[in-house]
Amino acid sequence: MKKLIGIVAAFLLMASTALADTTIKVDGSTTVLPIMQKVVEAYMKAHPDVKISVSGGGSGNGIKALIDGATDIAMASRAMEQKEIDLAKTKNVAANQIVCAIDAIVPVVNPANKLSEITLAQLKDLYMGKITTWKDLGGDGPVVVISRDTSSGTYETWEGLVMKKERVFPGALMQASSGAVVQAVSKNKNAMGYVGIGYLDASTKALKVDGIEATAENAKSKKFPISRDLYLYTNGAPAGAVKGLVDFLLGAEGQKLVKEAGFVPLN
């Protein structure tokens, strides 16, 4: 009997280990989230033995989770900073960067707004609080500035490419996700926000920047001035079930899903 119990216990241990090997946790950027949700749904349908959980708490939170060993894949809409890479090394985490898609951060206004284009200089002035009324841009009414929060990779990219390292002024209304920005702008005729290209829909109006439209072609060529790569980060080169998921995303079917999510595939 004891021998039988031992065999059963060993079997259960092996089964639980096998389950752990096929459980993947993904965390991070709310910009990359729609892509990953589509990819995970398709991948789990084809691989029912693999269990994947996906959550979007922002690029900074995803990278922190990777460094702390709390996630297998970090989604990020900005590159890891050197201080993050150095911190990862102190915890024996070798941050491995994978470009998974291309994006454009697009200024958006309420559809009732007559504005159709804007300059980088004007965007900077708006987000520094120097421009406070739409009258300065040919419109009417006060400007309600909507921004992503500081844990967001989209915020950090905006800060680098638009603000030129200047901080967004304290009067901006900070939102925890791109979806929240869309909702806020769609409900306020005086609002101005910015979102990834995959979040554009009829509830907001996209603006040209310096006369250039945010198209897939212009994002890929980086002609659109607020274009960027989207990333996944793993601890070292992907292996096992994680490699299977990453390879699927980078393959033809996964890149097709990138396009379906509204973002720009790599090729």
Side-chain angles (χ1 to χ4, degrees):
M1 179 61 74
K2 288 183 178 179
K3 184 176 181 181
L4 178 60
I5 292 173
I7 292 172
V8 171
F11 175 79
L12 291 174
L13 178 61
M14 290 173 62
S16 65
T17 302
L19 180 62
D21 287 343
T22 54
T23 301
I24 303 171
K25 183 171 175 55
V26 185
D27 192 7
S29 168
T30 61
T31 299
V32 184
L33 184 62
I35 295 173
M36 187 57 72
Q37 287 173 327
K38 281 183 172 290
V39 168
V40 164
E41 182 180 0
Y43 190 77
M44 287 200 299
K45 187 174 182 180
H47 301 83
D49 57 318
V50 179
K51 309 301 178 187
I52 308 170
S53 66
V54 186
S55 58
S59 298
N61 291 331
I63 290 169
K64 183 179 184 300
L66 182 73
I67 293 171
D68 292 340
T71 192
D72 299 296
I73 299 174
M75 304 177 289
S77 58
R78 54 128 174 125
M80 282 183 71
E81 299 173 5
Q82 189 58 49
K83 63 182 180 181
E84 292 170 326
I85 295 171
D86 293 341
L87 177 60
K89 288 178 181 177
T90 68
K91 298 189 177 185
N92 295 318
V93 172
N96 177 61
Q97 184 189 87
I98 302 160
V99 178
C100 65
I102 299 166
D103 186 25
I105 303 179
V106 189
V108 291
V109 294
N110 187 277
N113 195 314
K114 295 180 180 180
L115 197 67
S116 60
E117 61 181 276
I118 199 165
T119 68
L120 278 175
Q122 288 168 336
L123 284 171
K124 182 178 181 181
D125 284 346
L126 278 163
Y127 278 82
M128 288 186 71
K130 292 182 177 180
I131 295 177
T132 59
T133 173
W134 286 112
K135 186 177 181 180
D136 293 337
L137 300 174
D140 186 38
V143 179
V144 178
V145 176
I146 309 292
S147 175
R148 286 300 311 278
D149 57 20
T150 56
S151 67
S152 159
T154 301
Y155 172 91
E156 294 193 37
T157 303
W158 184 266
E159 190 179 64
L161 296 180
V162 176
M163 305 302 293
K164 307 300 182 184
K165 299 303 180 181
E166 296 280 357
R167 302 290 286 181
V168 171
F169 84 115
L173 302 180
M174 305 302 233
Q175 304 295 322
S177 69
S178 296
V181 173
V182 171
Q183 189 174 37
V185 174
S186 69
K187 291 182 176 181
N188 190 327
K189 68 177 183 179
N190 293 319
M192 151 71 73
Y194 56 86
V195 294
I197 195 171
Y199 281 88
L200 296 179
D201 61 26
S203 69
T204 63
K205 181 166 76 171
L207 301 181
K208 294 180 180 178
V209 178
D210 289 343
I212 302 169
E213 186 178 357
T215 64
E217 293 75 17
N218 289 339
K220 192 170 183 178
S221 68
K222 302 298 191 289
K223 181 179 179 180
F224 184 75
I226 324 174
S227 301
R228 60 174 173 176
D229 293 334
L230 299 178
Y231 306 98
L232 302 180
Y233 283 94
T234 57
N235 182 5
V242 172
K243 184 178 188 302
L245 177 61
V246 171
D247 287 349
F248 177 79
L249 171 51
L250 297 179
E253 189 173 350
Q255 289 296 296
K256 182 180 178 182
L257 294 173
V258 168
K259 186 174 182 179
E260 286 183 11
F263 293 88
V264 184
L266 299 176
N267 47 54

